[in-house]
Structure formats: structure tokens, C-alpha cells
């Protein structure tokens, strides 16, 4: 596992998810719309992008690497949430329903990174 690359990608995922949530938050009138549509879409796009960046540098055992990097991304997200929101008691739309955010984010990240690892191990020839 390329730990340095995984940590950099995980931190960038967290930063971009937070920045996009700040940009989109004034446009959202209902918190339910944000939690059910915009946040999952945000996580899918950002995690997919950085997951591809991480997985393309792996040559063998890609499925296992995808699962491990997904777990690493989840741990980094939880640590940064605690450091920046929970300890200083800052309010943010991301943590308005924190258990829901953790469950949703964990499921999406593990599925995306595992799927990317699975696809990376396939030999596909496009002619």
C-alpha cells in the first residue's frame, strides 16, 4: 500500500468535499435535499476521481488495495471531522446529522474504491 499517496488523496477528498459543501450550502433550502442528494453525489465524484489516481499506480492485488484505501479514506475523514468540527465545536452542514454522514460516506467510499480495484485487475483490450 502506498500510504503517503493514500493519505494525500484522503485529505484532498475531505478538503474538496468540505469546500463543495460550503459553495453549495447557500443554494440549498432544505437540509434533507443536501443529505440525500448533493452530499452523496459529491462524495461519489470526488472519491471516484482520487480513487482512480490512487489505483492506477498499483500493479497487483488491486481489489485488496481498493478495500484498504477505502478504509484509509474513511479513517482520514473521521479524524479530520473530529479535529476541525467536533473538538472546536464548529457547526457545519456536514455534521448536522453526523452518524448518517459517517454511515453514508463509509458505504459509498468502500463501494467505489473496491469497485475501482476490481476494475483495475481486469485485462481489457479495446480495439
Amino acid at each position: 500500500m502506498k500510504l503517503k499517496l493514500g493519505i494525500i488523496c484522503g485529505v484532498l477528498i475531505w478538503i474538496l468535499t468540505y469546500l463543495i459543501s460550503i459553495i453549495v450550502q447557500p443554494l440549498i433550502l432544505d437540509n434533507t435535499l443536501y443529505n440525500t442528494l448533493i452530499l452523496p453525489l459529491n462524495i461519489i465524484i470526488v472519491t471516484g476521481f482520487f480513487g482512480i489516481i490512487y489505483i492506477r499506480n498499483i500493479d497487483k492485488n488491486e481489489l485488496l488495495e481498493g478495500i484498504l484505501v477505502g478504509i484509509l479514506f474513511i479513517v482520514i475523514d473521521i479524524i479530520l471531522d473530529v479535529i476541525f468540527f467536533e473538538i472546536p465545536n464548529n457547526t457545519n452542514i456536514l455534521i448536522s446529522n453526523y452518524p448518517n454522514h459517517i454511515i453514508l460516506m463509509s458505504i459509498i467510499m468502500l463501494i467505489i474504491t473496491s469497485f475501482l480495484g476490481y476494475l483495475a485487475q481486469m485485462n481489457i483490450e479495446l480495439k
Side-chain angles (χ1 to χ4, degrees):
M1 177 173 202
K2 297 183 178 186
L3 193 59
K4 183 178 177 182
L5 180 62
I7 291 172
I8 291 170
C9 288
V11 170
L12 289 174
I13 288 170
W14 185 85
I15 290 170
L16 286 175
T17 303
Y18 177 67
L19 288 177
I20 292 171
S21 73
I22 289 174
I23 293 168
V24 174
Q25 184 176 2
L27 304 173
I28 305 301
L29 299 175
D30 187 15
N31 196 18
T32 306
L33 176 66
Y34 179 80
N35 286 331
T36 59
L37 180 65
I38 295 175
L39 181 62
L41 188 61
N42 184 10
I43 292 172
I44 289 169
I45 293 169
V46 174
T47 303
F49 178 75
F50 286 104
I52 289 171
I53 289 175
Y54 179 85
I55 292 291
R56 72 178 178 179
N57 294 322
I58 304 300
D59 292 330
K60 59 182 184 177
N61 229 355
E62 291 93 349
L63 180 59
L64 180 61
E65 285 288 332
I67 293 169
L68 291 176
V69 81
I71 293 169
L72 179 66
F73 290 169
I74 293 166
V75 169
I76 289 171
D77 186 85
I78 292 170
I79 289 171
L80 291 175
D81 283 346
V82 168
I83 290 172
F84 288 103
F85 300 126
E86 293 295 325
I87 292 175
N89 205 10
N90 292 335
T91 57
N92 183 2
I93 195 167
L94 287 177
I95 61 168
S96 62
N97 189 357
Y98 193 65
N100 187 24
H101 169 72
I102 292 296
I103 292 169
L104 181 68
M105 181 261 319
S106 299
I107 291 170
I108 291 173
M109 281 189 173
L110 277 176
I111 289 173
I112 289 173
T113 56
S114 300
F115 187 65
L116 287 173
Y118 175 73
L119 290 177
Q121 72 183 7
M122 298 176 85
N123 291 328
I124 299 173
E125 289 186 34
L126 298 175
K127 292 183 179 185

mmCIF file of all heavy atoms in Angstrom, residues 71-118:
data_model
loop_
_atom_site.group_PDB
_atom_site.id
_atom_site.type_symbol
_atom_site.label_atom_id
_atom_site.label_comp_id
_atom_site.label_asym_id
_atom_site.label_seq_id
_atom_site.Cartn_x
_atom_site.Cartn_y
_atom_site.Cartn_z
ATOM 1 N N ILE A 71 -10.832 2.049 3.356
ATOM 2 C CA ILE A 71 -10.798 2.129 4.820
ATOM 3 C C ILE A 71 -9.929 3.303 5.265
ATOM 4 O O ILE A 71 -10.285 4.036 6.197
ATOM 5 C CB ILE A 71 -10.309 0.795 5.418
ATOM 6 C CG1 ILE A 71 -11.345 -0.301 5.154
ATOM 7 C CG2 ILE A 71 -10.020 0.926 6.907
ATOM 8 C CD1 ILE A 71 -10.870 -1.702 5.469
ATOM 9 N N LEU A 72 -8.791 3.514 4.585
ATOM 10 C CA LEU A 72 -7.919 4.643 4.911
ATOM 11 C C LEU A 72 -8.637 5.968 4.681
ATOM 12 O O LEU A 72 -8.559 6.878 5.523
ATOM 13 C CB LEU A 72 -6.638 4.579 4.074
ATOM 14 C CG LEU A 72 -5.638 5.707 4.291
ATOM 15 C CD1 LEU A 72 -5.072 5.648 5.700
ATOM 16 C CD2 LEU A 72 -4.524 5.637 3.261
ATOM 17 N N PHE A 73 -9.374 6.093 3.577
ATOM 18 C CA PHE A 73 -10.128 7.319 3.308
ATOM 19 C C PHE A 73 -11.178 7.574 4.395
ATOM 20 O O PHE A 73 -11.377 8.714 4.817
ATOM 21 C CB PHE A 73 -10.815 7.251 1.945
ATOM 22 C CG PHE A 73 -9.900 7.317 0.755
ATOM 23 C CD1 PHE A 73 -10.390 7.027 -0.509
ATOM 24 C CD2 PHE A 73 -8.565 7.666 0.872
ATOM 25 C CE1 PHE A 73 -9.566 7.090 -1.634
ATOM 26 C CE2 PHE A 73 -7.731 7.729 -0.238
ATOM 27 C CZ PHE A 73 -8.243 7.443 -1.491
ATOM 28 N N ILE A 74 -11.826 6.519 4.863
ATOM 29 C CA ILE A 74 -12.837 6.663 5.917
ATOM 30 C C ILE A 74 -12.196 7.128 7.210
ATOM 31 O O ILE A 74 -12.696 8.037 7.883
ATOM 32 C CB ILE A 74 -13.601 5.339 6.109
ATOM 33 C CG1 ILE A 74 -14.442 5.033 4.877
ATOM 34 C CG2 ILE A 74 -14.464 5.371 7.362
ATOM 35 C CD1 ILE A 74 -14.975 3.618 4.821
ATOM 36 N N VAL A 75 -11.076 6.519 7.582
ATOM 37 C CA VAL A 75 -10.378 6.895 8.820
ATOM 38 C C VAL A 75 -9.910 8.344 8.741
ATOM 39 O O VAL A 75 -10.064 9.111 9.710
ATOM 40 C CB VAL A 75 -9.193 5.931 9.092
ATOM 41 C CG1 VAL A 75 -8.300 6.453 10.196
ATOM 42 C CG2 VAL A 75 -9.709 4.543 9.422
ATOM 43 N N ILE A 76 -9.362 8.752 7.604
ATOM 44 C CA ILE A 76 -8.911 10.137 7.442
ATOM 45 C C ILE A 76 -10.090 11.096 7.560
ATOM 46 O O ILE A 76 -9.992 12.137 8.214
ATOM 47 C CB ILE A 76 -8.178 10.309 6.093
ATOM 48 C CG1 ILE A 76 -6.830 9.601 6.144
ATOM 49 C CG2 ILE A 76 -8.001 11.785 5.749
ATOM 50 C CD1 ILE A 76 -6.123 9.512 4.821
ATOM 51 N N ASP A 77 -11.223 10.763 6.958
ATOM 52 C CA ASP A 77 -12.404 11.624 7.036
ATOM 53 C C ASP A 77 -12.878 11.782 8.474
ATOM 54 O O ASP A 77 -13.179 12.891 8.909
ATOM 55 C CB ASP A 77 -13.517 11.051 6.155
ATOM 56 C CG ASP A 77 -14.706 11.986 6.089
ATOM 57 O OD1 ASP A 77 -14.686 12.902 5.252
ATOM 58 O OD2 ASP A 77 -15.652 11.794 6.879
ATOM 59 N N ILE A 78 -12.922 10.681 9.217
ATOM 60 C CA ILE A 78 -13.374 10.752 10.611
ATOM 61 C C ILE A 78 -12.407 11.569 11.452
ATOM 62 O O ILE A 78 -12.818 12.419 12.258
ATOM 63 C CB ILE A 78 -13.559 9.331 11.181
ATOM 64 C CG1 ILE A 78 -14.743 8.639 10.494
ATOM 65 C CG2 ILE A 78 -13.773 9.371 12.694
ATOM 66 C CD1 ILE A 78 -14.872 7.166 10.812
ATOM 67 N N ILE A 79 -11.103 11.350 11.269
ATOM 68 C CA ILE A 79 -10.102 12.094 12.045
ATOM 69 C C ILE A 79 -10.195 13.592 11.759
ATOM 70 O O ILE A 79 -10.194 14.414 12.685
ATOM 71 C CB ILE A 79 -8.681 11.558 11.751
ATOM 72 C CG1 ILE A 79 -8.503 10.179 12.359
ATOM 73 C CG2 ILE A 79 -7.615 12.513 12.290
ATOM 74 C CD1 ILE A 79 -7.228 9.476 11.941
ATOM 75 N N LEU A 80 -10.290 13.972 10.486
ATOM 76 C CA LEU A 80 -10.374 15.393 10.148
ATOM 77 C C LEU A 80 -11.689 16.012 10.610
ATOM 78 O O LEU A 80 -11.709 17.174 11.027
ATOM 79 C CB LEU A 80 -10.167 15.584 8.647
ATOM 80 C CG LEU A 80 -8.757 15.297 8.146
ATOM 81 C CD1 LEU A 80 -8.688 15.401 6.622
ATOM 82 C CD2 LEU A 80 -7.745 16.217 8.785
ATOM 83 N N ASP A 81 -12.783 15.261 10.550
ATOM 84 C CA ASP A 81 -14.051 15.769 11.091
ATOM 85 C C ASP A 81 -13.939 16.048 12.580
ATOM 86 O O ASP A 81 -14.404 17.081 13.063
ATOM 87 C CB ASP A 81 -15.184 14.769 10.843
ATOM 88 C CG ASP A 81 -15.694 14.790 9.420
ATOM 89 O OD1 ASP A 81 -15.371 15.742 8.684
ATOM 90 O OD2 ASP A 81 -16.418 13.840 9.043
ATOM 91 N N VAL A 82 -13.333 15.136 13.311
ATOM 92 C CA VAL A 82 -13.189 15.315 14.762
ATOM 93 C C VAL A 82 -12.281 16.505 15.057
ATOM 94 O O VAL A 82 -12.594 17.334 15.914
ATOM 95 C CB VAL A 82 -12.649 14.022 15.421
ATOM 96 C CG1 VAL A 82 -12.212 14.278 16.844
ATOM 97 C CG2 VAL A 82 -13.702 12.929 15.373
ATOM 98 N N ILE A 83 -11.162 16.622 14.340
ATOM 99 C CA ILE A 83 -10.213 17.710 14.594
ATOM 100 C C ILE A 83 -10.812 19.076 14.267
ATOM 101 O O ILE A 83 -10.655 20.022 15.047
ATOM 102 C CB ILE A 83 -8.907 17.497 13.789
ATOM 103 C CG1 ILE A 83 -8.134 16.317 14.351
ATOM 104 C CG2 ILE A 83 -8.039 18.758 13.803
ATOM 105 C CD1 ILE A 83 -6.932 15.907 13.521
ATOM 106 N N PHE A 84 -11.499 19.199 13.154
ATOM 107 C CA PHE A 84 -11.955 20.515 12.719
ATOM 108 C C PHE A 84 -13.378 20.871 13.137
ATOM 109 O O PHE A 84 -13.728 22.051 13.156
ATOM 110 C CB PHE A 84 -11.836 20.640 11.197
ATOM 111 C CG PHE A 84 -10.423 20.764 10.731
ATOM 112 C CD1 PHE A 84 -9.763 19.682 10.169
ATOM 113 C CD2 PHE A 84 -9.731 21.959 10.884
ATOM 114 C CE1 PHE A 84 -8.450 19.790 9.752
ATOM 115 C CE2 PHE A 84 -8.424 22.079 10.462
ATOM 116 C CZ PHE A 84 -7.771 20.989 9.900
ATOM 117 N N PHE A 85 -14.220 19.887 13.455
ATOM 118 C CA PHE A 85 -15.607 20.206 13.770
ATOM 119 C C PHE A 85 -16.020 19.806 15.185
ATOM 120 O O PHE A 85 -16.702 20.556 15.860
ATOM 121 C CB PHE A 85 -16.555 19.562 12.752
ATOM 122 C CG PHE A 85 -16.310 20.018 11.349
ATOM 123 C CD1 PHE A 85 -16.084 19.104 10.346
ATOM 124 C CD2 PHE A 85 -16.308 21.358 11.033
ATOM 125 C CE1 PHE A 85 -15.862 19.521 9.048
ATOM 126 C CE2 PHE A 85 -16.073 21.789 9.741
ATOM 127 C CZ PHE A 85 -15.845 20.866 8.754
ATOM 128 N N GLU A 86 -15.666 18.618 15.618
ATOM 129 C CA GLU A 86 -16.140 18.136 16.906
ATOM 130 C C GLU A 86 -15.385 18.767 18.084
ATOM 131 O O GLU A 86 -15.998 19.226 19.037
ATOM 132 C CB GLU A 86 -16.028 16.609 16.973
ATOM 133 C CG GLU A 86 -16.963 15.885 16.027
ATOM 134 C CD GLU A 86 -18.419 16.085 16.350
ATOM 135 O OE1 GLU A 86 -18.767 16.184 17.546
ATOM 136 O OE2 GLU A 86 -19.217 16.154 15.406
ATOM 137 N N ILE A 87 -14.062 18.781 18.038
ATOM 138 C CA ILE A 87 -13.272 19.319 19.156
ATOM 139 C C ILE A 87 -13.506 20.819 19.330
ATOM 140 O O ILE A 87 -13.797 21.273 20.435
ATOM 141 C CB ILE A 87 -11.776 18.972 18.990
ATOM 142 C CG1 ILE A 87 -11.586 17.463 19.151
ATOM 143 C CG2 ILE A 87 -10.923 19.728 20.003
ATOM 144 C CD1 ILE A 87 -10.179 16.969 18.894
ATOM 145 N N PRO A 88 -13.391 21.642 18.263
ATOM 146 C CA PRO A 88 -13.655 23.073 18.449
ATOM 147 C C PRO A 88 -15.138 23.423 18.506
ATOM 148 O O PRO A 88 -15.492 24.568 18.704
ATOM 149 C CB PRO A 88 -13.004 23.743 17.237
ATOM 150 C CG PRO A 88 -12.631 22.695 16.295
ATOM 151 C CD PRO A 88 -12.798 21.379 16.959
ATOM 152 N N ASN A 89 -16.012 22.446 18.343
ATOM 153 C CA ASN A 89 -17.463 22.622 18.396
ATOM 154 C C ASN A 89 -17.970 23.581 17.320
ATOM 155 O O ASN A 89 -18.834 24.405 17.573
ATOM 156 C CB ASN A 89 -17.898 23.075 19.796
ATOM 157 C CG ASN A 89 -19.326 22.693 20.088
ATOM 158 O OD1 ASN A 89 -19.940 21.936 19.350
ATOM 159 N ND2 ASN A 89 -19.853 23.221 21.167
ATOM 160 N N ASN A 90 -17.407 23.462 16.119
ATOM 161 C CA ASN A 90 -17.868 24.239 14.963
ATOM 162 C C ASN A 90 -19.071 23.539 14.350
ATOM 163 O O ASN A 90 -19.119 22.325 14.269
ATOM 164 C CB ASN A 90 -16.773 24.357 13.905
ATOM 165 C CG ASN A 90 -15.614 25.202 14.365
ATOM 166 O OD1 ASN A 90 -15.765 26.042 15.224
ATOM 167 N ND2 ASN A 90 -14.459 24.968 13.779
ATOM 168 N N THR A 91 -20.014 24.329 13.894
ATOM 169 C CA THR A 91 -21.164 23.733 13.228
ATOM 170 C C THR A 91 -20.948 23.766 11.727
ATOM 171 O O THR A 91 -20.381 24.714 11.189
ATOM 172 C CB THR A 91 -22.456 24.498 13.582
ATOM 173 O OG1 THR A 91 -22.294 25.858 13.212
ATOM 174 C CG2 THR A 91 -22.768 24.383 15.055
ATOM 175 N N ASN A 92 -21.407 22.734 11.079
ATOM 176 C CA ASN A 92 -21.278 22.620 9.635
ATOM 177 C C ASN A 92 -22.410 21.737 9.148
ATOM 178 O O ASN A 92 -22.880 20.861 9.869
ATOM 179 C CB ASN A 92 -19.916 22.012 9.281
ATOM 180 C CG ASN A 92 -19.690 21.945 7.796
ATOM 181 O OD1 ASN A 92 -20.519 22.384 7.005
ATOM 182 N ND2 ASN A 92 -18.569 21.404 7.397
ATOM 183 N N ILE A 93 -22.801 21.939 7.904
ATOM 184 C CA ILE A 93 -23.878 21.131 7.333
ATOM 185 C C ILE A 93 -23.457 19.663 7.220
ATOM 186 O O ILE A 93 -24.278 18.762 7.245
ATOM 187 C CB ILE A 93 -24.337 21.711 5.980
ATOM 188 C CG1 ILE A 93 -25.675 21.118 5.571
ATOM 189 C CG2 ILE A 93 -23.280 21.515 4.918
ATOM 190 C CD1 ILE A 93 -26.359 21.835 4.446
ATOM 191 N N LEU A 94 -22.145 19.402 7.090
ATOM 192 C CA LEU A 94 -21.667 18.023 7.007
ATOM 193 C C LEU A 94 -21.952 17.244 8.280
ATOM 194 O O LEU A 94 -22.180 16.047 8.233
ATOM 195 C CB LEU A 94 -20.160 17.990 6.735
ATOM 196 C CG LEU A 94 -19.693 18.363 5.344
ATOM 197 C CD1 LEU A 94 -18.183 18.334 5.290
ATOM 198 C CD2 LEU A 94 -20.266 17.426 4.316
ATOM 199 N N ILE A 95 -21.894 17.910 9.428
ATOM 200 C CA ILE A 95 -22.047 17.177 10.679
ATOM 201 C C ILE A 95 -23.374 17.475 11.364
ATOM 202 O O ILE A 95 -23.539 17.202 12.540
ATOM 203 C CB ILE A 95 -20.871 17.468 11.639
ATOM 204 C CG1 ILE A 95 -20.799 18.943 11.985
ATOM 205 C CG2 ILE A 95 -19.580 16.968 11.065
ATOM 206 C CD1 ILE A 95 -19.875 19.245 13.123
ATOM 207 N N SER A 96 -24.320 18.033 10.630
ATOM 208 C CA SER A 96 -25.628 18.275 11.223
ATOM 209 C C SER A 96 -26.292 16.963 11.624
ATOM 210 O O SER A 96 -26.996 16.888 12.620
ATOM 211 C CB SER A 96 -26.516 19.069 10.270
ATOM 212 O OG SER A 96 -26.724 18.336 9.081
ATOM 213 N N ASN A 97 -26.063 15.919 10.832
ATOM 214 C CA ASN A 97 -26.530 14.578 11.167
ATOM 215 C C ASN A 97 -25.323 13.655 11.008
ATOM 216 O O ASN A 97 -25.201 12.910 10.037
ATOM 217 C CB ASN A 97 -27.675 14.171 10.241
ATOM 218 C CG ASN A 97 -28.328 12.893 10.685
ATOM 219 O OD1 ASN A 97 -27.917 12.266 11.652
ATOM 220 N ND2 ASN A 97 -29.351 12.497 9.968
ATOM 221 N N TYR A 98 -24.399 13.715 11.982
ATOM 222 C CA TYR A 98 -23.091 13.079 11.849
ATOM 223 C C TYR A 98 -23.141 11.558 11.707
ATOM 224 O O TYR A 98 -22.449 11.020 10.847
ATOM 225 C CB TYR A 98 -22.175 13.496 13.004
ATOM 226 C CG TYR A 98 -20.739 13.139 12.758
ATOM 227 C CD1 TYR A 98 -20.034 13.745 11.725
ATOM 228 C CD2 TYR A 98 -20.089 12.191 13.525
ATOM 229 C CE1 TYR A 98 -18.722 13.433 11.466
ATOM 230 C CE2 TYR A 98 -18.772 11.873 13.285
ATOM 231 C CZ TYR A 98 -18.088 12.495 12.262
ATOM 232 O OH TYR A 98 -16.792 12.177 12.000
ATOM 233 N N PRO A 99 -23.942 10.829 12.500
ATOM 234 C CA PRO A 99 -23.980 9.372 12.295
ATOM 235 C C PRO A 99 -24.440 8.989 10.887
ATOM 236 O O PRO A 99 -23.901 8.074 10.275
ATOM 237 C CB PRO A 99 -24.973 8.874 13.348
ATOM 238 C CG PRO A 99 -24.953 9.926 14.394
ATOM 239 C CD PRO A 99 -24.708 11.219 13.681
ATOM 240 N N ASN A 100 -25.407 9.714 10.355
ATOM 241 C CA ASN A 100 -25.877 9.465 8.997
ATOM 242 C C ASN A 100 -24.757 9.751 7.989
ATOM 243 O O ASN A 100 -24.566 8.997 7.037
ATOM 244 C CB ASN A 100 -27.094 10.338 8.698
ATOM 245 C CG ASN A 100 -27.732 10.008 7.377
ATOM 246 O OD1 ASN A 100 -27.596 8.909 6.862
ATOM 247 N ND2 ASN A 100 -28.420 10.985 6.826
ATOM 248 N N HIS A 101 -24.009 10.821 8.224
ATOM 249 C CA HIS A 101 -22.891 11.175 7.343
ATOM 250 C C HIS A 101 -21.820 10.080 7.345
ATOM 251 O O HIS A 101 -21.329 9.690 6.285
ATOM 252 C CB HIS A 101 -22.282 12.509 7.789
ATOM 253 C CG HIS A 101 -20.982 12.832 7.136
ATOM 254 N ND1 HIS A 101 -20.878 13.193 5.815
ATOM 255 C CD2 HIS A 101 -19.711 12.829 7.617
ATOM 256 C CE1 HIS A 101 -19.610 13.409 5.517
ATOM 257 N NE2 HIS A 101 -18.884 13.193 6.590
ATOM 258 N N ILE A 102 -21.474 9.568 8.509
ATOM 259 C CA ILE A 102 -20.436 8.530 8.613
ATOM 260 C C ILE A 102 -20.883 7.246 7.911
ATOM 261 O O ILE A 102 -20.120 6.642 7.150
ATOM 262 C CB ILE A 102 -20.095 8.241 10.088
ATOM 263 C CG1 ILE A 102 -19.390 9.441 10.706
ATOM 264 C CG2 ILE A 102 -19.237 7.000 10.234
ATOM 265 C CD1 ILE A 102 -18.058 9.754 10.091
ATOM 266 N N ILE A 103 -22.101 6.824 8.138
ATOM 267 C CA ILE A 103 -22.598 5.585 7.524
ATOM 268 C C ILE A 103 -22.653 5.731 6.007
ATOM 269 O O ILE A 103 -22.153 4.876 5.275
ATOM 270 C CB ILE A 103 -23.983 5.213 8.097
ATOM 271 C CG1 ILE A 103 -23.849 4.820 9.565
ATOM 272 C CG2 ILE A 103 -24.626 4.098 7.289
ATOM 273 C CD1 ILE A 103 -25.166 4.697 10.293
ATOM 274 N N LEU A 104 -23.231 6.820 5.533
ATOM 275 C CA LEU A 104 -23.356 7.061 4.103
ATOM 276 C C LEU A 104 -21.990 7.167 3.439
ATOM 277 O O LEU A 104 -21.721 6.525 2.421
ATOM 278 C CB LEU A 104 -24.162 8.340 3.869
ATOM 279 C CG LEU A 104 -24.414 8.745 2.434
ATOM 280 C CD1 LEU A 104 -25.352 7.755 1.776
ATOM 281 C CD2 LEU A 104 -24.993 10.139 2.395
ATOM 282 N N MET A 105 -21.106 7.948 4.031
ATOM 283 C CA MET A 105 -19.780 8.155 3.469
ATOM 284 C C MET A 105 -18.979 6.855 3.468
ATOM 285 O O MET A 105 -18.287 6.546 2.492
ATOM 286 C CB MET A 105 -19.067 9.236 4.285
ATOM 287 C CG MET A 105 -17.695 9.603 3.827
ATOM 288 S SD MET A 105 -16.356 8.808 4.749
ATOM 289 C CE MET A 105 -16.891 8.860 6.417
ATOM 290 N N SER A 106 -19.084 6.064 4.512
ATOM 291 C CA SER A 106 -18.344 4.801 4.590
ATOM 292 C C SER A 106 -18.799 3.817 3.516
ATOM 293 O O SER A 106 -17.970 3.206 2.836
ATOM 294 C CB SER A 106 -18.521 4.163 5.969
ATOM 295 O OG SER A 106 -18.026 5.003 6.970
ATOM 296 N N ILE A 107 -20.090 3.685 3.351
ATOM 297 C CA ILE A 107 -20.620 2.754 2.350
ATOM 298 C C ILE A 107 -20.203 3.189 0.948
ATOM 299 O O ILE A 107 -19.713 2.380 0.155
ATOM 300 C CB ILE A 107 -22.150 2.641 2.473
ATOM 301 C CG1 ILE A 107 -22.527 1.936 3.772
ATOM 302 C CG2 ILE A 107 -22.743 1.916 1.276
ATOM 303 C CD1 ILE A 107 -24.008 1.986 4.097
ATOM 304 N N ILE A 108 -20.369 4.467 0.650
ATOM 305 C CA ILE A 108 -20.043 4.957 -0.691
ATOM 306 C C ILE A 108 -18.554 4.811 -0.979
ATOM 307 O O ILE A 108 -18.156 4.333 -2.046
ATOM 308 C CB ILE A 108 -20.495 6.422 -0.857
ATOM 309 C CG1 ILE A 108 -22.015 6.504 -0.881
ATOM 310 C CG2 ILE A 108 -19.918 7.035 -2.135
ATOM 311 C CD1 ILE A 108 -22.561 7.912 -0.866
ATOM 312 N N MET A 109 -17.706 5.198 -0.034
ATOM 313 C CA MET A 109 -16.255 5.128 -0.262
ATOM 314 C C MET A 109 -15.778 3.694 -0.433
ATOM 315 O O MET A 109 -14.949 3.414 -1.301
ATOM 316 C CB MET A 109 -15.494 5.813 0.868
ATOM 317 C CG MET A 109 -15.472 7.297 0.763
ATOM 318 S SD MET A 109 -14.355 8.002 1.962
ATOM 319 C CE MET A 109 -14.364 9.691 1.464
ATOM 320 N N LEU A 110 -16.273 2.777 0.395
ATOM 321 C CA LEU A 110 -15.844 1.381 0.260
ATOM 322 C C LEU A 110 -16.308 0.765 -1.058
ATOM 323 O O LEU A 110 -15.559 0.030 -1.704
ATOM 324 C CB LEU A 110 -16.349 0.550 1.436
ATOM 325 C CG LEU A 110 -15.506 0.606 2.695
ATOM 326 C CD1 LEU A 110 -16.165 -0.182 3.815
ATOM 327 C CD2 LEU A 110 -14.108 0.100 2.436
ATOM 328 N N ILE A 111 -17.515 1.069 -1.461
ATOM 329 C CA ILE A 111 -18.015 0.527 -2.730
ATOM 330 C C ILE A 111 -17.209 1.073 -3.903
ATOM 331 O O ILE A 111 -16.800 0.316 -4.785
ATOM 332 C CB ILE A 111 -19.526 0.831 -2.897
ATOM 333 C CG1 ILE A 111 -20.337 -0.023 -1.933
ATOM 334 C CG2 ILE A 111 -19.967 0.597 -4.342
ATOM 335 C CD1 ILE A 111 -21.816 0.321 -1.901
ATOM 336 N N ILE A 112 -16.966 2.367 -3.910
ATOM 337 C CA ILE A 112 -16.251 2.974 -5.034
ATOM 338 C C ILE A 112 -14.821 2.459 -5.124
ATOM 339 O O ILE A 112 -14.365 2.052 -6.200
ATOM 340 C CB ILE A 112 -16.273 4.511 -4.928
ATOM 341 C CG1 ILE A 112 -17.672 5.013 -5.218
ATOM 342 C CG2 ILE A 112 -15.271 5.151 -5.891
ATOM 343 C CD1 ILE A 112 -17.852 6.482 -4.992
ATOM 344 N N THR A 113 -14.089 2.471 -4.017
ATOM 345 C CA THR A 113 -12.689 2.048 -4.077
ATOM 346 C C THR A 113 -12.562 0.551 -4.347
ATOM 347 O O THR A 113 -11.653 0.140 -5.073
ATOM 348 C CB THR A 113 -11.941 2.425 -2.792
ATOM 349 O OG1 THR A 113 -12.616 1.863 -1.653
ATOM 350 C CG2 THR A 113 -11.843 3.941 -2.631
ATOM 351 N N SER A 114 -13.468 -0.259 -3.804
ATOM 352 C CA SER A 114 -13.432 -1.695 -4.096
ATOM 353 C C SER A 114 -13.749 -1.958 -5.564
ATOM 354 O O SER A 114 -13.104 -2.787 -6.208
ATOM 355 C CB SER A 114 -14.432 -2.447 -3.218
ATOM 356 O OG SER A 114 -14.135 -2.258 -1.870
ATOM 357 N N PHE A 115 -14.721 -1.256 -6.092
ATOM 358 C CA PHE A 115 -15.085 -1.417 -7.498
ATOM 359 C C PHE A 115 -13.949 -0.964 -8.415
ATOM 360 O O PHE A 115 -13.663 -1.609 -9.424
ATOM 361 C CB PHE A 115 -16.367 -0.642 -7.791
ATOM 362 C CG PHE A 115 -16.921 -0.880 -9.161
ATOM 363 C CD1 PHE A 115 -17.383 -2.136 -9.520
ATOM 364 C CD2 PHE A 115 -16.979 0.141 -10.090
ATOM 365 C CE1 PHE A 115 -17.895 -2.369 -10.788
ATOM 366 C CE2 PHE A 115 -17.481 -0.077 -11.356
ATOM 367 C CZ PHE A 115 -17.943 -1.340 -11.710
ATOM 368 N N LEU A 116 -13.290 0.142 -8.067
ATOM 369 C CA LEU A 116 -12.150 0.589 -8.863
ATOM 370 C C LEU A 116 -11.019 -0.427 -8.827
ATOM 371 O O LEU A 116 -10.362 -0.675 -9.835
ATOM 372 C CB LEU A 116 -11.655 1.951 -8.367
ATOM 373 C CG LEU A 116 -12.527 3.150 -8.693
ATOM 374 C CD1 LEU A 116 -12.001 4.394 -7.999
ATOM 375 C CD2 LEU A 116 -12.610 3.365 -10.193
ATOM 376 N N GLY A 117 -10.774 -1.024 -7.651
ATOM 377 C CA GLY A 117 -9.753 -2.063 -7.551
ATOM 378 C C GLY A 117 -10.112 -3.283 -8.371
ATOM 379 O O GLY A 117 -9.256 -3.881 -9.026
ATOM 380 N N TYR A 118 -11.385 -3.657 -8.366
ATOM 381 C CA TYR A 118 -11.844 -4.789 -9.160
ATOM 382 C C TYR A 118 -11.665 -4.518 -10.652
ATOM 383 O O TYR A 118 -11.180 -5.370 -11.401
ATOM 384 C CB TYR A 118 -13.312 -5.094 -8.843
ATOM 385 C CG TYR A 118 -13.908 -6.167 -9.710
ATOM 386 C CD1 TYR A 118 -13.562 -7.499 -9.529
ATOM 387 C CD2 TYR A 118 -14.799 -5.842 -10.723
ATOM 388 C CE1 TYR A 118 -14.104 -8.490 -10.336
ATOM 389 C CE2 TYR A 118 -15.348 -6.823 -11.528
ATOM 390 C CZ TYR A 118 -14.997 -8.148 -11.332
ATOM 391 O OH TYR A 118 -15.527 -9.118 -12.136
#
